[in-house]
């Protein structure tokens, strides 16, 4: 089957509003957690409490992801500024 697979270069990675995407997903996980908490007894009666805790774990991991992508964006901007020969500026610093 490998001989029928076309060989071509992989496309460039898509760059978009990554911070907004991760933050939005984190908010959705946390909202789902808050919606399920009042029904915790219902979930417990059916042995489905893992649904509630999965949403909380998703929100927690989303916070880590938000921190990571913000740090990544800052590092990318710093590298681009260094390539251009300009000194990187901190947000809110005087020009």
């Amino acid at each position: 089957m490998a001989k029928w697979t076309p060989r071509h270069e992989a496309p460039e990675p898509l760059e978009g509003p990554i911070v907004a995407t991760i933050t939005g997903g984190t908010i959705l996980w946390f909202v789902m957690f808050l919606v399920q908490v009042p029904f915790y007894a219902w979930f417990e009666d059916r042995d489905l409490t893992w649904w509630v805790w999965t949403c909380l774990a998703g929100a927690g991991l989303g916070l880590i992801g938000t921190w990571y992508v913000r740090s990544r964006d800052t590092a990318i901007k710093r590298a681009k500024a260094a390539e251009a020969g300009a000194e990187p500026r901190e947000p809110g610093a005087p020009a």
Side-chain angles (χ1 to χ4, degrees), residues 25-47:
T26 302
I27 291 169
L28 284 174
W29 278 113
F30 191 67
V31 166
M32 287 189 297
F33 170 72
L34 291 178
V35 167
Q36 291 179 355
V37 166
F39 304 102
Y40 190 82
W42 184 89
F43 286 107
E44 195 170 35
D45 291 343
R46 290 158 180 78
D47 255 355

Side-chain angles (χ1 to χ4, degrees), residues 1 23 31 34-35 52 54 60 66 68 74-75 80 83 85 88 92-95:
M1 185 148 204
T23 303
V31 166
L34 291 178
V35 167
V52 179
T54 298
T66 301
Y68 178 80
T74 303
K80 284 183 182 178
E83 280 180 11

Side-chain angles (χ1 to χ4, degrees), residues 18-19 21-27 29 55-73:
I18 298 170
V19 175
T21 303
I22 301 298
T23 303
T26 302
I27 291 169
W29 278 113
C55 292
L56 186 61
L61 290 172
L63 289 174
I64 295 169
T66 301
W67 169 79
Y68 178 80
V69 295
R70 287 182 61 137
S71 300
R72 178 182 176 268
D73 279 354

Side-chain angles (χ1 to χ4, degrees), residues 80-94:
K80 284 183 182 178
E83 280 180 11
E87 284 292 318
R89 270 191 332 133
E90 290 294 319

